[in-house]
Structure formats: structure tokens, C-alpha cells
Amino acid sequence: MEASAPRFGVAPLARTLLPAFSLALVLAAIATLNPFAISYMGFNLMLNLAIPIILATMAQLFVITGNDLDLSIGSFIGFVCCVAATWLTTDPLLGAGILLGSIIVYALLGALIHWRNLPSIVVTLGMSFVWQGLAVLVLPDPGGAAPEWLMTLMGFQPYFIPFPILAAIVVAAVTHFLLMGTSYGAILRASGGNAAAVARAGWSLLRIKMALFALAGLFGALSGLALIGITTSGDANIGSGYTLLAIAGVILGGGEFVGGRVSPIGAVMGALTLSLASSSLLTFMQVPPDWQVAANGAILIIVLAARALINRRKA
Amino acid sequence: MASSLAPSVASLNGVEKYFGAVRALAGVDLGVARGECVGLVGHNGAGKSTLMNVLAGVLAPSEGRVMVAGQAQATWSTRLARALGIRCVFQELSLCPNLTVAENTRVFHTALRGFGWRRRAANLVQEKLDEIFPGHGINPSTLVQDLSIGRRQMAEVARAFTVTDEPLALVILDEPTSSLDARTAGQLLSYMRRRVAEGMSFILISHMLGEILGNSDRIVVMRDGRTVADDMAAHFNRDRLVAEMGGDNHAAHDASPFGVVRAARPVCVRARPRGQNGDSELVAHKGEIIGLAGLSGHGQTELLRAIFDAAPKGGGSITLDGPVSLVAGDRQSDGIFPSWSIARNITVGSLKALKQGALISPAREKEMAQRWQQRIRIKTPDMDNPILSLSGGNQQKALFARALASDAQIILMDDPMRGVDISTKLEVYDIIRQEAAKGRTFLWYTTETEELLYCDHTYVFRNGMIVAQLARGELTEEKVIQSSFHEAG
């Protein structure tokens, strides 16, 4: 009956397709600059560090789902690396226990943020120094050794599909199922959309916040393990760049800072886009390494601005 | 005080509620019998919403007793209320905009889990939508944010009637038709009467007195946190309701025209809706109040937005003369700055006038806020209080003050009186008239036909187009409804 009905339907489609479009754009640019890069070995090399970035992005995704932001995920990943390069190798039980304990700490942070109604930015900014301090305590100088099984896992070379791509597909499928597929995933997203309504329907916001932060801790720990499996030795500062990359990946993937609007599949594509654009593309464009970090920032601004522009036009 | 017709479903005895030092409820007794619809009326701030929040378990009463299913409830909570079959459709929309209609149904029901929950949730809400609003056109897998405000309200109402493992005995409808057009509002009210006939109970809160008089079995009037009248609906009429609510007895619609020949004044807005067939266009002369009528969502808001976007110079099919200000209809999302004071919320539209050098002058800001507090009678001890400390009607007044305090000569109003009590409305109508007499022009989209009686000229919209125009003398509800549904002429 309402006149405006047919107008709807375009916006949701554009929202889903944007991350895929930006990924395709970056891939096309790489293929033009260096056709040999689009190969099994090429992807293995280009996406070398993609798996930890994807996992870190997923960790951030869960936090953003509940309208929070985790500024400590990078140093948490560094802490996990240091634990994995030391205790997890020498005393696996103790190492696993510490990692489990740190995930519980994450859940408790969620509880604290909900209970005292604290801004998550402040709490996690503080925690970023705590994790970094602990990492330095565990491993004062770069070194240590990753557990054998982690290095074997990360060195896995399946047939046809490069491992990073296979891992991206698996991570995307698992997180999509968790957040978009399960019935409790709907409740988690609902808490970002309208927390008051969720509480009125009888759900515990405390439990929801704890679940979101525990999931962030879990994926952060997985990211740290993947990273140490690739680099083989630890460093307390190894994860410092991951905080912003993870946030950018979520936003690039179609997520929004508030409102519980997130897309796990989009965020995985966002993380892939960033890992490709941030090193391989720049190298192929013959940007000197000294300028690559600055160029990274520029790419981020351009891509996010384009997203905002396209979104506004479709709306 | 409860009706003795049938056993009581729920009753409140001597309920008091304090927020700090403010007494929102001052000892209320209210009972609802099985198969009864109780109409609840009162001004904004009379305590209706607080009372319903107590009954639904959202707020704990400071004093008094909640009796449900024949038992006093010592520990009353939303969960218990739901388990005993009490549900509430709250006034502000309480869907999650980032979820689909089906997922929102899942949020409402803890039992919708496990394999196939999404399909079950979709079927559940689809069934209710079909039952309550035939021809609703809502797909349960649409995100709520992509629905118009009217359809969101339909989805929310339908969701409240879905049943999984909990009984459904009493539904509280708090302004359920405020965002619905006449047709869907009628569908909802007739559905409600069908369910009443089957033995379900309702509490209907509405500012549309006609809705209350026509659909309730019993009417309870609240004023200042207590019930002041409780009687069979047949014993009430419009005048008595207004009198009991303590409303000023304005002549509701004084039809005396302003006595101005339209063409005698300069034209200050000329706008053609996008997609208009033929050459109809909206024309507003200086000092006129122009009504935009028709069913909700038929292009009225879009045209107002287009005019606002074209300000101050006009452009495309819109010509304008003078600065423009918009009073938003969805005040929670488009209107107020929730973390600001009342004063700041009013003065933000006129910062240029308040500047002293490069800075905002606090003295002028205060002076402007005071002036408008008196002018438009905002009920607050201190204009520096947060805007959210005001009742909904008073928040809307503050938004009017913002538009009127600015230098805008053209005021666009996007159905701003939704959910506002009648005495506030009457006060605002008066101010609109005074301002129009001073030469301001108003473009007023409204879903309430009564408000069109205040307009000098009314344009009726359908499918994004102007399909009829009526001068003040020709306007009748029948004509508006007729052109809203059929091709004009």
C-alpha cells in the first residue's frame, strides 16, 4: 500500500557487495601490475600475514557488535605471542592455562564495562598497556620459539587453494554462523541495535557483553597463535599495528561503529583487502619501503571515504 | 475499583513510584478484567507510561501491590510478567533496527532457538501480520531499518501478539496507532476488538480520544500521577474526557478563516513532488498554514525533506523565498540532542544571532531560552536540565521553540504532534496561528484530519503525488479520505 515500497532492497544489496567490490579492485590492480602474483605461490606470499590479521579483525568485530571498541587487541596479540613462544613450548599445560585465563580476563573486562557503565575505549586503552607490560615481563628480548605443531599448521600447503585463502573461508564461515546463523548470535547483534529492548525482553545484557568480549579474547588468542606460527619467534611489540588494522577491516567490511551493524564475511574480505593493499600492492607499484607505512594510511582513508560516499548515495 | 464483570487479570493497588524526589505515581488503583479493554487517557506526564512500565515489570513500584492471576507478586519483573501473559507495546519503538523482522521476533521469545529458529520466527510473525494487517507488504526477512516508520510499528505490534511457550492474557498498547495511517490503525483496533471478544484483555493508551471512546469498554483517566475517573466507556464523551483530563477548554476547531484571499499575498514556496503527473504543485503564500494530508508514507515527508534540502535558494522543481526550518516527526532520531540541556536544544538553531564576536554569548543564550520557555510554556524548573528530563510532549515543544526562535520564515513540520497530549497540541496550534499571522509560512504534514482544520489550504498526497487540493472551506474528513484512496476527479 505504501508508495515507497519498491525503493527498499537496493541499499541492503549495496551494503553486502561493497567489500567484495573493493577486494576485487585491489586484486585487479595487482593482476595488472604483476600477472604472476595471481598464482598459488603468489597468494601464499602476498597473504603471508593475512591469517592473523583476519583473526584479529574477527576479534574486533565481536566487540564492535556490542557498540564497543577494543584498543588493546594488538598488544593482547603480542602478549599471546610471547606466551606461545615461551611457556606454550616449554610447559604446554601452563601455557594453555595462561591463554585460557587471559580469555576469561577478557570476559571479565566485558563485565566491568557493563557493570560500571565505563567507556570501552578507556578500559581497553588501559589494558593495552597492561598486556604490553606483561608481554615484556614474559619475554624481555625478542626470541623464544614457537611450538612445533603451530609452525607445522601454519606451513600447511593444501592442493589448489592457498592456505591463507582456505583459512579465510573457514574463519568467515565459522564467524558468520556464530553471529548471523545461531539464535544467540541474533541476540548478540540485537544488543548493539537496541540494548533497552533486549533487556526488556528478559535477556541479561551482562551475559551478552561477557560473551562478546570472551569471543574477542578467543579470536585474539587464535590470532596471536597464528602469528607466532608464521614468525616462529616472539616479540612483545609484534602486534602493535593490529589494533587499527582490525578496526579498519571491520569498517571496510561494511560494519559500523554503532548500531550492531556488522558483517563477518565482509570483515574477512576487508581484512584480505587490507593485507593485500598494505604491502603487495605498494611493492608492485614500486613505492619505496620507507613510504609504505604512510601510503598504507592514505589507502585506508581513500577506501573508507569511498565507502562512505557510496553508502550515502545509495541511502 | 476493578470491574466486577469478570475475574481480574491484573490489578494494581495503591501503587506509588518516585524518581528521586519526583512523585510520578501517587497511589494508583487499576484493575483489568478478563475480556475487557480499558482505555487509559491523560496528559503527557500524567503517569500513564510509568504505570504501564510498573505493570509490565520494567519498573519496580516504590509502594503498593501488583496482583496478577489472583496473587500478589512480591518480586515482579519483566520475565515474570511475560510468563504470566502480560505484554507491552511500548510507545517508543523497541525493535532492533539492525535485525530483520524475524530476528526481532526471536529477541522477543527465548523459546525460539535451535535448528530452524529463523524460519519458525518468520512464520510466526508473518502469520500475525497477515491476521492483523492484511495486505501489510512486510517481508519478515527485511531489516527493520529498511522499513518505514509505519511498517516498523506494524511489525512491533504483530510481534507482541506472537505466542510460543508463554500465555497471552493482557496486552498493553501504548500509543499503538501514533505512526499508523487511518486504514492500518483501523485494522489494528478491529483486531483488538476481535481478541477482546475471545476473552483477551487490553489496556489501550491513546491521545486520539475518538479511538479511546470507540474501542474501550471502560475508560480510566489519569492526572498528576493518580486516577481521577474510572467509568464505563458509554458514560464518557469527548467533552467529559477533556474536562476530566484537566484540559483547557479551547474551542477545538474554530473554523473562522483568517479571511485572506490567497492570491493577495506573495508566493514563498512552490514545489512539485518528484514523479508528479500533470502540473499540480504545492504553492504556499506568505503567512499561510498549508496542510499535507493523505495516508502515511505517501510522499509528504519526502517533499518536505526535498524543500529543506533545497533551502535557502531553491533548485530543481522547488522555488523558495526565505530561510527554512524543519520540525522533525521522529524526535528521538532526528530532533533532539539527547545529551544537551533544554536551553541548548532550543538555541542551537539560532547560533548566529547569539554570537558575540566569535563566541556564543551565554547571556543571550539564556535570555532566548527563558523567552521561549514562557512563550511556549515548557514545564521544567530549570532550562539547564537535560532535554530527556522532559516528557515527550514538552520535548516536542522545545523542538518547536527551536524552529520558531530561528530566523526561518518557512517552517516545515513533519507530523510533529504524534503522541502529544491534547492540551499541549492546543497550545502549539495557538502559537502556529500567531506566528502565521506575523507572516511566517507553515507546511504541515499531519496524519490527523483534525489538524487539517487549522490549515488554510490542504494538499492530499497519494503514491508520491498531489492528488487533490482543498481550500479551508471545502475540507472534510470524507474528502481527504476519498482522495487518499481513489484517483481524484
Side-chain angles (χ1 to χ4, degrees):
Chain A
M1 193 60 209
E2 286 180 36
S4 43
R7 199 159 50 93
F8 305 117
V10 179
L13 193 67
R15 273 200 294 268
T16 350
L17 286 183
L18 262 175
F21 179 71
S22 40
L23 179 58
L25 203 67
V26 171
L27 280 174
I30 291 178
T32 325
L33 291 168
N34 187 347
F36 297 111
I38 308 297
S39 64
Y40 186 89
M41 267 326 284
F43 277 118
N44 262 341
L45 287 171
M46 290 194 294
L47 293 175
N48 182 24
L49 287 175
I51 300 177
I53 294 179
I54 288 170
L55 288 166
T57 304
M58 292 303 110
Q60 193 66 259
L61 180 90
F62 288 112
V63 176
I64 289 180
T65 300
N67 295 349
D68 287 314
L69 212 52
D70 183 3
L71 298 183
S72 66
I73 193 72
S75 43
F76 177 67
I77 290 169
F79 167 78
V80 172
C81 280
C82 292
V83 171
T86 52
W87 284 315
L88 199 58
T89 315
T90 54
D91 187 348
L93 217 56
L94 178 66
I98 290 176
L99 292 184
L100 198 66
S102 65
I103 293 172
I104 292 172
V105 169
Y106 248 89
L108 293 178
L109 286 178
L112 178 74
I113 285 167
H114 173 78
W115 178 50
R116 300 304 308 169
N117 198 15
L118 296 169
S120 59
I121 294 184
V122 174
V123 174
T124 56
L125 186 63
M127 278 312 289
S128 73
F129 295 105
V130 173
W131 294 123
Q132 193 162 20
L134 289 175
V136 172
L137 280 180
V138 175
L139 194 67
D141 300 305
E148 203 59 42
W149 56 270
L150 257 182
M151 294 191 281
T152 319
L153 177 67
M154 296 311 293
F156 176 52
Q157 301 215 338
Y159 291 111
F160 303 117
I161 307 176
F163 182 53
I165 293 178
L166 185 66
I169 292 170
V170 171
V171 172
V174 169
T175 43
H176 182 84
F177 176 72
L178 277 179
L179 261 187
M180 316 304 280
T182 67
S183 59
Y184 195 64
I187 305 300
L188 295 179
R189 283 181 289 128
S191 76
N194 189 342
V198 174
R200 255 187 223 147
W203 298 94
S204 157
L205 289 178
L206 175 72
R207 210 173 296 165
I208 291 171
K209 192 66 87 191
M210 287 177 76
L212 285 171
F213 271 79
L215 282 163
L218 173 67
F219 278 79
L222 292 176
S223 169
L225 292 176
L227 182 58
I228 196 73
I230 297 164
T231 60
T232 68
S233 72
D235 176 351
N237 293 316
I238 197 170
S240 55
Y242 280 47
T243 302
L244 291 180
L245 270 182
I247 296 173
V250 174
I251 304 303
L252 189 55
E256 279 168 39
F257 285 115
V258 287
R261 298 188 178 94
V262 292
S263 156
I265 295 176
V268 167
M269 288 197 252
L272 281 173
T273 311
L274 283 176
S275 10
L276 285 173
S278 65
S279 63
S280 314
L281 180 62
L282 293 175
T283 309
F284 294 141
M285 287 167 76
Q286 296 176 344
V287 176
D290 291 349
W291 288 91
Q292 285 200 358
V293 177
N296 258 335
I299 287 184
L300 217 64
I301 292 173
I302 292 168
V303 175
L304 293 184
R307 191 190 86 117
L309 253 172
I310 295 171
N311 258 1
R312 203 167 308 155
R313 194 161 313 156
K314 299 280 181 197
Chain B
M1 218 178 218
S3 164
S4 52
L5 290 171
S8 163
V9 175
S11 64
L12 299 166
N13 301 101
V15 167
E16 295 181 23
K17 179 69 192 174
Y18 293 87
F19 294 105
V22 180
R23 186 167 66 171
L25 295 177
V28 178
D29 299 305
L30 177 72
V32 187
R34 211 177 106 76
E36 181 187 43
C37 174
V38 176
L40 184 60
V41 294
H43 288 164
N44 283 336
K48 302 176 309 267
S49 292
T50 310
L51 187 66
M52 291 309 107
N53 273 317
V54 168
L55 186 52
V58 178
L59 295 171
S62 310
E63 277 314 314
R65 234 171 17 149
V66 180
M67 296 261 298
V68 177
Q71 284 181 333
Q73 305 290 335
T75 53
W76 191 231
S77 66
T78 41
R79 197 169 293 197
L80 202 52
R82 284 283 300 275
L84 292 172
I86 298 180
R87 302 217 185 140
C88 189
V89 179
F90 291 96
Q91 187 177 356
E92 71 277 34
L93 301 168
S94 59
L95 297 175
C96 298
N98 58 326
L99 303 191
T100 66
V101 175
E103 285 170 341
N104 268 292
T105 310
R106 149 68 181 150
V107 171
F108 197 66
H109 290 288
T110 37
L112 276 174
R113 56 196 301 176
F115 185 73
W117 64 272
R118 196 184 296 271
R119 189 177 30 78
R120 278 181 283 134
N123 289 344
L124 207 55
V125 72
Q126 175 95 50
E127 221 169 78
K128 282 296 162 200
L129 276 167
D130 292 345
E131 201 177 327
I132 304 172
F133 303 107
H136 52 82
I138 299 172
N139 182 342
S141 57
T142 314
L143 290 181
V144 169
Q145 64 192 16
D146 295 330
L147 295 176
S148 66
I149 188 164
R151 284 184 171 162
R152 283 186 207 186
Q153 193 161 30
M154 288 155 74
E156 182 162 4
V157 166
R159 183 181 78 157
F161 286 96
T162 54
V163 177
T164 49
D165 57 344
E166 288 162 333
L168 185 50
L170 167 65
V171 177
I172 302 163
L173 297 169
D174 192 353
E175 296 288 347
T177 60
S178 59
S179 303
L180 301 181
D181 56 48
R183 188 178 62 101
T184 42
Q187 288 176 331
L188 170 59
L189 292 170
S190 70
Y191 177 76
M192 185 185 82
R193 289 309 312 179
R194 291 204 297 279
R195 296 304 296 256
V196 169
E198 292 166 22
M200 217 161 99
S201 309
F202 284 86
I203 295 177
L204 175 64
I205 301 176
S206 178
H207 287 308
M208 316 278 249
L209 299 184
E211 249 172 50
I212 295 280
L213 287 165
N215 296 286
S216 314
D217 301 306
R218 194 155 59 85
I219 295 177
V220 174
V221 184
M222 281 188 80
R223 188 164 75 204
D224 300 330
R226 55 179 91 234
T227 51
V228 292
D230 183 343
D231 203 349
M232 302 311 290
H235 298 166
F236 281 98
N237 58 30
R238 206 189 153 80
D239 292 338
R240 185 180 164 201
L241 275 184
V242 174
E244 296 278 12
M245 281 157 58
D248 304 339
N249 266 327
H250 288 250
H253 9 80
D254 153 16
S256 73
F258 286 64
V260 185
V261 182
R262 285 200 90 198
R265 292 185 171 190
V267 172
C268 70
V269 181
R270 203 179 270 282
R272 248 167 77 87
R274 216 160 39 161
Q276 175 80 42
N277 291 336
D279 53 3
S280 292
E281 61 178 1
L282 182 146
V283 179
H285 300 256
K286 193 169 162 56
E288 276 184 332
I289 306 174
I290 301 295
L292 281 66
L295 300 177
S296 73
H298 274 247
Q300 301 94 332
T301 301
E302 284 78 0
L303 186 65
L304 290 181
R305 298 255 159 178
I307 294 173
F308 186 72
D309 289 341
K313 290 192 170 156
S317 55
I318 293 164
T319 45
L320 278 177
D321 173 27
V324 173
S325 184
L326 175 77
V327 183
D330 189 349
R331 69 174 165 265
Q332 297 306 335
S333 72
D334 292 345
I336 58 167
F337 294 100
S339 58
W340 288 11
S341 69
I342 307 163
R344 287 262 156 93
N345 262 289
I346 292 176
T347 56
V348 66
S350 344
L351 293 181
K352 247 186 220 159
L354 299 176
K355 270 203 311 197
Q356 201 161 44
L359 303 176
I360 297 169
S361 153
R364 285 192 207 170
E365 193 179 65
K366 198 176 168 94
E367 187 270 326
M368 178 182 271
Q370 298 287 342
R371 184 151 37 94
W372 283 97
Q373 178 180 18
Q374 285 162 14
R375 177 84 206 280
I376 209 162
R377 286 204 270 167
I378 294 173
K379 287 180 193 130
T380 179
D382 187 348
M383 292 294 278
D384 288 329
N385 283 345
I387 183 98
L388 293 180
S389 68
L390 295 178
S391 64
N394 276 297
Q395 287 178 24
Q396 198 63 51
K397 276 187 181 176
L399 289 185
F400 264 102
R402 181 195 295 168
L404 296 176
S406 74
D407 61 351
Q409 285 306 304
I410 301 162
I411 315 273
L412 312 174
M413 302 193 287
D414 185 8
D415 203 7
M417 302 306 227
R418 214 164 24 205
V420 171
D421 67 87
I422 186 144
S423 95
T424 305
K425 279 181 182 174
L426 293 174
E427 284 173 36
V428 174
Y429 297 158
D430 268 350
I431 291 167
I432 291 173
R433 271 186 205 199
Q434 291 165 20
E435 291 292 324
K438 285 186 203 163
R440 279 183 156 161
T441 310
F442 289 83
L443 299 188
W444 187 358
Y445 164 41
T446 172
T447 45
E448 293 175 35
T449 313
E450 286 178 12
E451 294 187 338
L452 295 173
L453 297 170
Y454 291 90
C455 298
D456 298 304
H457 202 81
T458 296
Y459 293 89
V460 185
F461 283 69
R462 193 162 57 81
N463 289 334
M465 288 186 275
I466 297 171
V467 290
Q469 44 175 313
L470 301 162
R472 174 189 281 267
E474 318 169 329
L475 185 109
T476 61
E477 182 156 15
E478 289 75 44
K479 280 188 188 164
V480 173
I481 291 176
Q482 211 166 24
S483 16
S484 303
F485 284 97
H486 305 289
E487 203 72 62

